[in-house]
Amino acid sequence: MKQDFKMNEQEVLETFKIITKYYEECLKDYGVKSIKLKDSKGNYTKDALVLVYLARNYPNTKAISKTELTDFVRKFYPDVSDVQQARHLSKQGGYNIISGTRGDIGAKIGAGYYQLITLEKPYPSFKPDRRSGIESADFESLKKEYDYKCATCGSIEGKPHNIRKNEITKLQEGHMNPSLPLEIGNIIPQCQVCNRPDRDRWIYDKTGRVIEIADSDDGKRVVEKYFKRVSTHTKEYFLEFLKKLLKLR
């Protein structure tokens, strides 16, 4: 059943004040993204509109469909076709917004729905942007140590890729452990093929080999896919392993 969530300008302003209060008191120190109410032209930002709509009557929030969010934003941006802000506000912005489509753990809402859970804690798997502004000279020195080769596949910078022969190899700053800052000591040179798809799935050693699964949403999905494929015997082994592990805590 579609909910009638009409908000006038006064409600938007009052709700945004509540969001700002919790941001300053609770979320700012976690590195959660600060949201601007209006842009340089004095128009409400789409991020603010979506967050305000999800936060209506906080803390008694409700699940809101993507269609309903889009309809609300269209009151201010008539030409908008597809509102993606709710998804970005959680995973990239850090706001504790669950998604029925994404299949968040504990989510009891349908596909295509979003719900703001709390403004006191960030989205559980949120990792703030830890890039530290690596000096290009430092990365050049690191590439030289690796003979200008991708640590993972060995493709040489500026030459045809070892696997994708039609592409020229470009070395990038590969994140060894995505839970730690992207800085020298946690970087290996990786080509554009090895770095992009696996960025948040694995933990690498200095030789470019995978040594662990990353503690991230992508890492969790790797584990889920793995357990769907392994034998019953292997599943039983890990079940006993987890039982022993959890008893130690």
Coordinates of all heavy atoms in Angstrom, one line a residue, residues 17-108:
K17 N 17.1 19.8 10.1 CA 17.7 20.3 11.3 C 18.0 19.1 12.2 O 19.0 19.0 12.9 CB 16.8 21.3 12.0 CG 16.8 22.7 11.4 CD 15.9 23.6 12.2 CE 15.8 25.0 11.6 NZ 14.9 25.9 12.3
I18 N 17.1 18.2 12.3 CA 17.2 17.0 13.1 C 18.4 16.1 12.6 O 19.3 15.7 13.3 CB 16.0 16.1 13.1 CG1 14.8 16.8 13.8 CG2 16.2 14.7 13.7 CD1 13.5 16.2 13.7
I19 N 18.5 16.0 11.2 CA 19.6 15.3 10.6 C 20.9 15.9 10.9 O 21.9 15.2 11.3 CB 19.4 15.2 9.1 CG1 18.1 14.3 8.8 CG2 20.6 14.6 8.4 CD1 17.7 14.4 7.3
T20 N 20.9 17.2 10.8 CA 22.2 18.0 11.1 C 22.6 17.8 12.5 O 23.8 17.7 12.8 CB 22.0 19.5 10.8 OG1 21.6 19.6 9.4 CG2 23.2 20.3 11.0
K21 N 21.7 17.8 13.5 CA 22.0 17.7 14.9 C 22.6 16.3 15.1 O 23.7 16.2 15.8 CB 20.7 17.8 15.7 CG 20.9 17.5 17.2 CD 19.5 17.7 17.9 CE 19.7 17.4 19.4 NZ 20.0 15.9 19.6
Y22 N 22.1 15.3 14.6 CA 22.6 13.9 14.8 C 23.9 13.8 14.1 O 24.8 13.0 14.5 CB 21.6 12.9 14.4 CG 20.6 12.5 15.4 CD1 19.3 13.1 15.3 CD2 20.8 11.7 16.5 CE1 18.3 12.8 16.3 CE2 19.9 11.4 17.4 CZ 18.6 12.0 17.3 OH 17.7 11.7 18.3
Y23 N 24.1 14.4 12.9 CA 25.3 14.3 12.2 C 26.4 14.9 13.0 O 27.5 14.3 13.2 CB 25.2 15.1 10.9 CG 26.5 15.1 10.1 CD1 26.9 14.0 9.4 CD2 27.4 16.2 10.2 CE1 28.2 14.0 8.7 CE2 28.6 16.2 9.6 CZ 29.0 15.1 8.8 OH 30.2 15.1 8.2
E24 N 26.2 16.1 13.6 CA 27.3 16.7 14.4 C 27.6 16.0 15.6 O 28.8 15.9 16.0 CB 26.9 18.2 14.7 CG 26.8 19.1 13.5 CD 28.2 19.3 12.9 OE1 29.2 19.3 13.6 OE2 28.2 19.6 11.6
E25 N 26.6 15.4 16.3 CA 26.8 14.7 17.6 C 27.2 13.3 17.4 O 27.9 12.8 18.3 CB 25.5 14.8 18.4 CG 25.1 16.2 18.8 CD 23.7 16.2 19.5 OE1 23.1 15.1 19.7 OE2 23.3 17.3 20.0
C26 N 26.8 12.6 16.3 CA 27.0 11.2 16.3 C 27.8 10.7 15.0 O 28.6 9.8 15.1 CB 25.7 10.4 16.3 SG 24.6 10.8 17.7
L27 N 27.5 11.2 13.9 CA 28.0 10.6 12.6 C 29.3 11.3 12.1 O 30.0 10.6 11.4 CB 26.9 10.7 11.6 CG 25.6 10.0 11.8 CD1 24.6 10.3 10.7 CD2 25.8 8.5 12.0
K28 N 29.5 12.5 12.4 CA 30.7 13.2 11.9 C 32.0 12.5 12.2 O 32.8 12.4 11.3 CB 30.7 14.6 12.4 CG 31.8 15.5 11.8 CD 31.7 16.9 12.3 CE 32.7 17.9 11.6 NZ 32.5 19.3 12.1
D29 N 32.2 12.0 13.4 CA 33.4 11.4 13.8 C 33.6 10.0 13.1 O 34.8 9.5 13.1 CB 33.5 11.2 15.3 CG 33.6 12.5 16.0 OD1 34.0 13.5 15.4 OD2 33.3 12.5 17.3
Y30 N 32.6 9.5 12.5 CA 32.7 8.2 11.8 C 33.2 8.5 10.3 O 33.4 7.5 9.6 CB 31.4 7.4 11.8 CG 31.1 6.8 13.1 CD1 30.2 7.4 13.9 CD2 31.6 5.6 13.5 CE1 29.8 6.8 15.1 CE2 31.3 5.0 14.7 CZ 30.4 5.6 15.5 OH 30.0 5.0 16.7
G31 N 33.2 9.7 9.9 CA 33.6 10.0 8.5 C 32.4 10.0 7.6 O 32.6 9.9 6.3
V32 N 31.2 10.0 8.1 CA 30.0 10.0 7.3 C 30.0 11.3 6.5 O 30.4 12.4 7.0 CB 28.7 9.9 8.1 CG1 27.5 10.1 7.3 CG2 28.7 8.5 8.8
K33 N 29.5 11.2 5.3 CA 29.4 12.4 4.3 C 28.5 13.5 4.9 O 27.4 13.2 5.3 CB 29.0 11.9 3.0 CG 28.8 13.0 1.9 CD 28.3 12.5 0.6 CE 28.0 13.6 -0.4 NZ 27.4 13.0 -1.6
S34 N 28.9 14.7 4.8 CA 28.1 15.8 5.2 C 27.2 16.2 4.0 O 27.7 16.3 2.9 CB 29.0 17.0 5.6 OG 28.2 18.2 5.8
I35 N 25.9 16.4 4.2 CA 25.0 16.6 3.2 C 24.6 18.1 3.2 O 24.2 18.7 4.2 CB 23.7 15.8 3.3 CG1 24.1 14.3 3.3 CG2 22.7 16.1 2.2 CD1 24.7 13.8 2.0
K36 N 24.6 18.8 2.0 CA 24.2 20.2 1.9 C 22.7 20.2 1.6 O 22.2 19.5 0.8 CB 25.0 20.9 0.8 CG 26.4 21.0 1.1 CD 27.1 21.8 0.0 CE 28.6 22.0 0.3 NZ 29.3 22.8 -0.8
L37 N 22.0 21.1 2.3 CA 20.6 21.3 2.1 C 20.3 21.9 0.7 O 19.4 21.4 0.0 CB 20.0 22.1 3.2 CG 18.5 22.4 3.0 CD1 17.7 21.1 3.1 CD2 18.0 23.4 4.1
K38 N 21.1 22.9 0.3 CA 20.9 23.6 -0.9 C 22.2 23.7 -1.7 O 23.3 23.8 -1.1 CB 20.2 25.0 -0.7 CG 18.8 24.9 -0.1 CD 18.2 26.3 0.0 CE 16.8 26.2 0.6 NZ 16.1 27.5 0.7
D39 N 22.1 23.8 -3.0 CA 23.3 24.0 -3.8 C 23.6 25.5 -4.0 O 22.9 26.4 -3.3 CB 23.1 23.4 -5.2 CG 21.9 23.9 -6.0 OD1 21.5 25.1 -5.7 OD2 21.4 23.2 -6.9
S40 N 24.5 25.9 -4.8 CA 25.0 27.2 -5.0 C 23.9 28.2 -5.6 O 23.9 29.4 -5.4 CB 26.2 27.3 -5.8 OG 26.0 26.8 -7.1
K41 N 22.9 27.5 -6.2 CA 21.8 28.3 -6.8 C 20.6 28.4 -5.9 O 19.6 29.0 -6.3 CB 21.4 27.7 -8.1 CG 22.5 27.7 -9.2 CD 22.0 27.1 -10.5 CE 23.1 27.1 -11.5 NZ 22.6 26.5 -12.8
G42 N 20.7 27.9 -4.7 CA 19.6 27.9 -3.7 C 18.6 26.8 -3.9 O 17.5 26.9 -3.2
N43 N 18.9 25.8 -4.7 CA 17.9 24.7 -4.9 C 18.2 23.6 -3.9 O 19.4 23.3 -3.6 CB 18.0 24.1 -6.3 CG 17.7 25.2 -7.3 OD1 16.7 25.9 -7.2 ND2 18.6 25.3 -8.4
Y44 N 17.2 22.9 -3.4 CA 17.4 21.7 -2.6 C 18.3 20.7 -3.3 O 18.0 20.4 -4.5 CB 16.1 21.1 -2.1 CG 15.3 21.9 -1.1 CD1 14.1 22.5 -1.5 CD2 15.8 22.2 0.1 CE1 13.4 23.3 -0.6 CE2 15.1 22.9 1.0 CZ 13.9 23.5 0.7 OH 13.2 24.2 1.6
T45 N 19.2 20.1 -2.6 CA 20.0 19.0 -3.3 C 19.2 17.7 -3.3 O 18.4 17.5 -2.4 CB 21.3 18.8 -2.6 OG1 21.1 18.3 -1.3 CG2 22.1 20.1 -2.5
K46 N 19.4 16.9 -4.2 CA 18.7 15.6 -4.3 C 19.1 14.7 -3.1 O 18.2 14.0 -2.5 CB 19.0 14.9 -5.6 CG 18.5 15.6 -6.8 CD 18.9 14.9 -8.1 CE 18.5 15.7 -9.3 NZ 19.0 15.2 -10.6
D47 N 20.3 14.7 -2.7 CA 20.7 14.0 -1.5 C 19.9 14.4 -0.3 O 19.5 13.5 0.5 CB 22.2 14.2 -1.2 CG 23.1 13.3 -2.1 OD1 22.6 12.4 -2.8 OD2 24.4 13.5 -2.1
A48 N 19.8 15.7 -0.1 CA 19.1 16.2 1.1 C 17.6 15.8 1.0 O 17.0 15.4 2.0 CB 19.2 17.7 1.2
L49 N 17.0 15.9 -0.1 CA 15.6 15.6 -0.3 C 15.3 14.1 0.0 O 14.4 13.8 0.8 CB 15.1 15.9 -1.7 CG 15.0 17.4 -2.1 CD1 14.7 17.5 -3.6 CD2 13.9 18.1 -1.3
V50 N 16.2 13.2 -0.5 CA 16.0 11.8 -0.2 C 16.2 11.5 1.3 O 15.4 10.8 1.9 CB 17.0 11.0 -1.1 CG1 17.0 9.5 -0.7 CG2 16.5 11.1 -2.6
L51 N 17.3 12.1 1.8 CA 17.5 11.8 3.3 C 16.4 12.3 4.2 O 16.0 11.7 5.1 CB 18.9 12.4 3.6 CG 19.5 12.0 5.0 CD1 19.6 10.5 5.1 CD2 20.8 12.7 5.2
V52 N 16.0 13.5 3.8 CA 14.9 14.1 4.6 C 13.6 13.3 4.5 O 12.9 13.0 5.5 CB 14.6 15.6 4.1 CG1 13.2 16.0 4.5 CG2 15.6 16.5 4.6
Y53 N 13.3 12.8 3.3 CA 12.1 12.0 3.2 C 12.2 10.7 3.9 O 11.2 10.2 4.6 CB 11.9 11.7 1.7 CG 10.5 11.3 1.3 CD1 9.5 12.2 1.4 CD2 10.2 10.0 0.9 CE1 8.2 11.8 1.0 CE2 8.9 9.6 0.6 CZ 7.9 10.5 0.6 OH 6.6 10.2 0.3
L54 N 13.4 10.1 3.9 CA 13.6 8.8 4.7 C 13.6 9.1 6.2 O 13.2 8.2 7.0 CB 14.9 8.2 4.3 CG 14.9 7.6 2.9 CD1 16.4 7.2 2.5 CD2 14.0 6.3 2.8
A55 N 13.9 10.3 6.6 CA 14.0 10.6 8.0 C 12.7 11.2 8.6 O 12.7 11.5 9.8 CB 15.2 11.6 8.3
R56 N 11.7 11.3 7.8 CA 10.5 11.9 8.3 C 10.0 11.1 9.5 O 9.9 9.9 9.6 CB 9.4 11.8 7.2 CG 8.2 12.6 7.5 CD 7.2 12.7 6.3 NE 6.1 13.6 6.5 CZ 4.9 13.2 6.8 NH1 4.6 11.9 6.9 NH2 3.9 14.1 7.0
N57 N 9.5 11.9 10.5 CA 9.0 11.4 11.8 C 10.1 10.6 12.6 O 9.8 9.7 13.4 CB 7.8 10.5 11.6 CG 6.6 11.2 11.0 OD1 6.4 12.4 11.4 ND2 5.9 10.6 10.1
Y58 N 11.4 10.9 12.3 CA 12.5 10.2 13.0 C 12.3 10.3 14.6 O 11.9 11.4 15.1 CB 13.8 10.8 12.6 CG 15.0 10.1 13.2 CD1 15.5 8.9 12.6 CD2 15.6 10.5 14.4 CE1 16.6 8.2 13.2 CE2 16.6 9.8 15.0 CZ 17.1 8.7 14.3 OH 18.2 8.0 14.9
P59 N 12.5 9.2 15.3 CA 13.1 7.9 15.0 C 12.1 6.9 14.4 O 12.4 5.8 14.2 CB 13.7 7.5 16.3 CG 12.8 8.0 17.3 CD 12.3 9.3 16.8
N60 N 10.8 7.3 14.3 CA 9.8 6.3 13.8 C 9.7 6.3 12.3 O 8.7 6.7 11.7 CB 8.4 6.7 14.5 CG 8.5 6.7 16.0 OD1 9.0 5.7 16.6 ND2 7.9 7.7 16.6
T61 N 10.8 5.9 11.7 CA 10.9 5.9 10.2 C 10.1 4.6 9.7 O 9.9 3.7 10.4 CB 12.3 5.8 9.7 OG1 12.9 4.6 10.2 CG2 13.1 7.0 10.3
K62 N 9.9 4.7 8.4 CA 9.2 3.6 7.7 C 9.9 3.3 6.4 O 10.7 4.0 5.9 CB 7.7 4.0 7.4 CG 6.9 4.3 8.6 CD 5.4 4.6 8.2 CE 4.6 4.9 9.4 NZ 4.5 3.7 10.3
A63 N 9.6 2.1 5.9 CA 10.2 1.7 4.6 C 9.5 2.5 3.5 O 8.3 2.6 3.4 CB 10.0 0.2 4.4
I64 N 10.4 3.0 2.6 CA 9.9 3.8 1.5 C 10.3 3.2 0.2 O 11.5 2.8 0.0 CB 10.4 5.2 1.6 CG1 10.2 5.8 3.0 CG2 9.9 6.1 0.5 CD1 8.7 6.0 3.3
S65 N 9.4 3.1 -0.8 CA 9.8 2.6 -2.1 C 10.6 3.5 -2.9 O 10.5 4.8 -2.7 CB 8.5 2.1 -2.8 OG 7.8 3.3 -3.3
K66 N 11.4 3.0 -3.8 CA 12.1 3.8 -4.7 C 11.2 4.7 -5.6 O 11.5 5.9 -5.8 CB 13.0 3.0 -5.6 CG 14.0 3.8 -6.5 CD 14.8 2.8 -7.3 CE 15.8 3.6 -8.2 NZ 16.6 2.7 -9.0
T67 N 10.1 4.1 -5.9 CA 9.1 4.9 -6.7 C 8.6 6.1 -6.0 O 8.5 7.2 -6.5 CB 7.9 4.0 -7.1 OG1 8.4 2.9 -7.9 CG2 6.9 4.8 -7.9
E68 N 8.3 5.9 -4.7 CA 7.8 7.0 -3.9 C 8.9 8.1 -3.7 O 8.6 9.3 -3.7 CB 7.4 6.5 -2.5 CG 6.5 7.4 -1.7 CD 5.8 6.8 -0.5 OE1 5.8 5.5 -0.5 OE2 5.4 7.5 0.3
L69 N 10.1 7.7 -3.5 CA 11.2 8.6 -3.4 C 11.4 9.5 -4.6 O 11.5 10.7 -4.6 CB 12.5 7.9 -3.1 CG 12.8 7.4 -1.6 CD1 14.0 6.5 -1.6 CD2 12.9 8.6 -0.7
T70 N 11.3 8.8 -5.8 CA 11.4 9.4 -7.1 C 10.2 10.5 -7.2 O 10.5 11.6 -7.7 CB 11.4 8.4 -8.2 OG1 12.4 7.5 -8.0 CG2 11.5 9.1 -9.5
D71 N 9.0 10.1 -6.9 CA 7.9 11.0 -7.0 C 8.1 12.2 -6.1 O 7.7 13.3 -6.5 CB 6.6 10.2 -6.6 CG 6.1 9.2 -7.6 OD1 6.6 9.3 -8.7 OD2 5.3 8.3 -7.2
F72 N 8.6 12.0 -4.9 CA 8.9 13.2 -4.0 C 9.9 14.1 -4.6 O 9.7 15.3 -4.7 CB 9.3 12.7 -2.7 CG 9.7 13.8 -1.7 CD1 8.7 14.7 -1.3 CD2 11.0 14.0 -1.3 CE1 9.1 15.7 -0.4 CE2 11.3 15.0 -0.4 CZ 10.4 15.9 0.0
V73 N 11.0 13.6 -5.1 CA 12.1 14.4 -5.7 C 11.6 15.1 -6.9 O 12.0 16.3 -7.2 CB 13.3 13.5 -6.0 CG1 14.4 14.3 -6.8 CG2 13.9 12.9 -4.7
R74 N 10.7 14.5 -7.7 CA 10.1 15.1 -8.9 C 9.4 16.4 -8.6 O 9.1 17.2 -9.5 CB 9.2 14.2 -9.6 CG 10.0 13.2 -10.5 CD 9.1 12.2 -11.2 NE 9.9 11.3 -12.0 CZ 9.5 10.1 -12.4 NH1 8.3 9.7 -12.0 NH2 10.2 9.3 -13.1
K75 N 8.9 16.6 -7.3 CA 8.2 17.8 -7.0 C 9.2 19.0 -7.1 O 8.8 20.2 -7.3 CB 7.7 17.8 -5.5 CG 6.6 16.7 -5.4 CD 6.2 16.7 -3.9 CE 5.1 15.7 -3.7 NZ 4.7 15.6 -2.2
F76 N 10.5 18.7 -6.9 CA 11.5 19.8 -7.0 C 12.3 19.7 -8.3 O 12.8 20.7 -8.8 CB 12.5 19.6 -5.8 CG 11.8 19.7 -4.5 CD1 11.2 18.5 -3.9 CD2 11.6 20.9 -3.8 CE1 10.6 18.6 -2.7 CE2 11.0 21.0 -2.6 CZ 10.4 19.8 -2.0
Y77 N 12.5 18.5 -8.8 CA 13.2 18.2 -10.1 C 12.3 17.4 -11.0 O 12.4 16.2 -11.1 CB 14.5 17.5 -9.8 CG 15.5 18.2 -9.0 CD1 15.5 18.2 -7.6 CD2 16.5 19.0 -9.7 CE1 16.5 18.9 -6.9 CE2 17.4 19.7 -9.0 CZ 17.4 19.6 -7.6 OH 18.3 20.3 -6.9
P78 N 11.4 18.1 -11.7 CA 10.3 17.4 -12.5 C 10.9 16.4 -13.6 O 10.2 15.5 -14.0 CB 9.6 18.5 -13.2 CG 9.8 19.7 -12.3 CD 11.2 19.5 -11.8
D79 N 12.1 16.7 -14.1 CA 12.7 15.9 -15.1 C 13.5 14.7 -14.7 O 14.0 13.9 -15.5 CB 13.6 16.7 -16.0 CG 12.8 17.8 -16.7 OD1 11.6 17.6 -17.0 OD2 13.4 18.9 -17.0
V80 N 13.6 14.5 -13.3 CA 14.4 13.4 -12.8 C 13.7 12.1 -13.2 O 12.5 11.9 -13.2 CB 14.6 13.5 -11.3 CG1 13.3 13.2 -10.6 CG2 15.6 12.5 -10.8
S81 N 14.5 11.1 -13.7 CA 14.0 9.8 -14.2 C 14.1 8.7 -13.2 O 13.3 7.8 -13.0 CB 14.6 9.5 -15.5 OG 16.0 9.3 -15.4
D82 N 15.3 8.7 -12.5 CA 15.6 7.5 -11.6 C 16.4 8.0 -10.4 O 17.6 8.4 -10.6 CB 16.3 6.4 -12.4 CG 16.5 5.2 -11.6 OD1 15.7 4.9 -10.7 OD2 17.4 4.4 -11.9
V83 N 15.9 7.9 -9.2 CA 16.6 8.4 -8.1 C 17.4 7.3 -7.5 O 16.9 6.2 -7.0 CB 15.6 8.9 -7.0 CG1 16.3 9.2 -5.7 CG2 14.9 10.2 -7.5
Q84 N 18.7 7.5 -7.4 CA 19.7 6.5 -6.9 C 20.3 7.0 -5.6 O 21.1 6.3 -5.0 CB 20.8 6.3 -7.9 CG 20.4 5.8 -9.3 CD 20.0 4.3 -9.2 OE1 20.3 3.6 -8.3 NE2 19.2 3.8 -10.2
Q85 N 19.9 8.1 -5.1 CA 20.5 8.7 -3.9 C 20.5 7.8 -2.7 O 21.4 7.8 -1.9 CB 19.9 10.1 -3.6 CG 20.5 11.2 -4.4 CD 20.1 11.2 -5.9 OE1 19.1 10.5 -6.3 NE2 20.8 11.9 -6.7
A86 N 19.4 7.1 -2.5 CA 19.3 6.3 -1.2 C 20.4 5.3 -1.2 O 21.0 5.0 -0.1 CB 17.9 5.6 -1.2
R87 N 20.7 4.6 -2.3 CA 21.7 3.6 -2.4 C 23.1 4.2 -2.1 O 23.9 3.7 -1.3 CB 21.7 2.9 -3.7 CG 22.8 1.9 -3.9 CD 22.5 1.0 -5.2 NE 22.4 1.8 -6.4 CZ 23.4 2.1 -7.2 NH1 24.6 1.7 -6.8 NH2 23.3 2.8 -8.3
H88 N 23.4 5.4 -2.8 CA 24.7 6.0 -2.6 C 24.8 6.6 -1.2 O 26.0 6.6 -0.6 CB 24.8 7.2 -3.6 CG 24.8 6.7 -5.0 ND1 25.4 5.6 -5.5 CD2 24.2 7.2 -6.1 CE1 25.2 5.4 -6.8 NE2 24.5 6.4 -7.2
L89 N 23.8 7.1 -0.6 CA 23.9 7.7 0.8 C 24.3 6.6 1.8 O 24.9 7.0 2.8 CB 22.5 8.3 1.2 CG 22.2 9.6 0.6 CD1 20.7 10.0 0.8 CD2 23.1 10.7 1.1
S90 N 24.0 5.4 1.6 CA 24.4 4.4 2.6 C 25.8 3.8 2.3 O 26.6 4.0 3.2 CB 23.4 3.2 2.5 OG 23.3 2.6 1.2
K91 N 26.0 3.2 1.2 CA 27.3 2.6 1.0 C 28.5 3.6 0.8 O 29.6 3.4 1.3 CB 27.3 1.7 -0.3 CG 26.4 0.5 -0.1 CD 26.7 -0.6 -1.1 CE 28.0 -1.2 -0.8 NZ 28.3 -2.3 -1.7
Q92 N 28.2 4.7 0.1 CA 29.2 5.7 -0.1 C 29.2 6.8 0.9 O 30.2 7.4 1.3 CB 29.1 6.3 -1.5 CG 29.3 5.2 -2.6 CD 29.0 5.8 -4.0 OE1 29.0 7.0 -4.2 NE2 28.6 4.9 -4.9
G93 N 28.0 7.2 1.3 CA 27.9 8.3 2.3 C 28.0 7.9 3.7 O 28.4 8.7 4.6
G94 N 27.6 6.7 4.0 CA 27.7 6.2 5.4 C 26.4 6.2 6.2 O 26.4 5.8 7.4
Y95 N 25.3 6.7 5.7 CA 24.1 6.8 6.4 C 23.5 5.4 6.6 O 23.5 4.6 5.6 CB 23.1 7.7 5.8 CG 23.5 9.2 5.9 CD1 24.4 9.8 5.0 CD2 23.2 9.9 7.0 CE1 24.8 11.1 5.1 CE2 23.6 11.3 7.2 CZ 24.4 11.8 6.2 OH 24.9 13.1 6.4
N96 N 22.9 5.1 7.7 CA 22.4 3.8 8.0 C 21.1 3.5 7.4 O 20.0 3.5 8.0 CB 22.3 3.5 9.5 CG 22.3 2.1 9.9 OD1 21.9 1.2 9.1 ND2 22.7 1.8 11.1
I97 N 21.1 3.3 6.1 CA 19.9 3.1 5.2 C 20.0 1.7 4.7 O 20.9 1.4 4.0 CB 19.8 4.1 4.1 CG1 19.7 5.6 4.6 CG2 18.6 3.8 3.2 CD1 19.9 6.6 3.6
I98 N 19.0 0.9 5.0 CA 19.0 -0.5 4.5 C 18.2 -0.6 3.2 O 17.3 0.2 3.0 CB 18.5 -1.5 5.5 CG1 17.0 -1.2 5.9 CG2 19.4 -1.5 6.8 CD1 16.4 -2.2 6.8
S99 N 18.5 -1.6 2.4 CA 17.9 -1.8 1.1 C 17.3 -3.2 1.0 O 18.1 -4.2 1.3 CB 18.9 -1.5 0.0 OG 18.4 -2.1 -1.2
G100 N 16.1 -3.3 0.6 CA 15.5 -4.6 0.4 C 16.1 -5.3 -0.8 O 16.2 -6.5 -0.9
T101 N 16.5 -4.5 -1.8 CA 17.0 -5.1 -3.0 C 18.5 -5.6 -2.8 O 18.9 -6.6 -3.3 CB 17.1 -4.0 -4.1 OG1 15.8 -3.5 -4.4 CG2 17.7 -4.5 -5.4
R102 N 19.2 -4.8 -2.0 CA 20.6 -5.2 -1.8 C 20.7 -6.4 -0.9 O 21.7 -7.1 -0.8 CB 21.3 -4.0 -1.1 CG 22.8 -4.1 -1.0 CD 23.5 -2.8 -0.6 NE 22.9 -2.2 0.5 CZ 22.6 -0.9 0.6 NH1 22.9 -0.1 -0.4 NH2 22.1 -0.4 1.7
G103 N 19.7 -6.7 -0.1 CA 19.7 -7.8 0.8 C 20.5 -7.6 2.0 O 21.2 -8.5 2.5
D104 N 20.4 -6.4 2.6 CA 21.1 -6.2 3.8 C 20.8 -7.1 4.9 O 19.6 -7.5 5.1 CB 20.9 -4.7 4.3 CG 21.5 -3.7 3.5 OD1 22.7 -3.9 3.2 OD2 20.9 -2.7 3.1
I105 N 21.7 -7.5 5.7 CA 21.5 -8.4 6.8 C 20.5 -7.8 7.8 O 20.6 -6.7 8.3 CB 22.8 -8.8 7.6 CG1 23.8 -9.5 6.6 CG2 22.6 -9.6 8.8 CD1 25.2 -9.7 7.2
G106 N 19.5 -8.6 8.1 CA 18.4 -8.1 9.0 C 17.3 -7.3 8.4 O 16.4 -7.0 9.1
A107 N 17.5 -7.0 7.1 CA 16.5 -6.2 6.4 C 15.2 -7.0 6.3 O 15.2 -8.1 5.7 CB 17.0 -5.7 5.1
K108 N 14.1 -6.4 6.7 CA 12.8 -7.1 6.6 C 11.8 -6.2 5.8 O 10.7 -6.0 6.1 CB 12.2 -7.3 8.0 CG 13.0 -8.3 8.9 CD 12.4 -8.5 10.2 CE 13.2 -9.5 11.0 NZ 12.6 -9.7 12.4

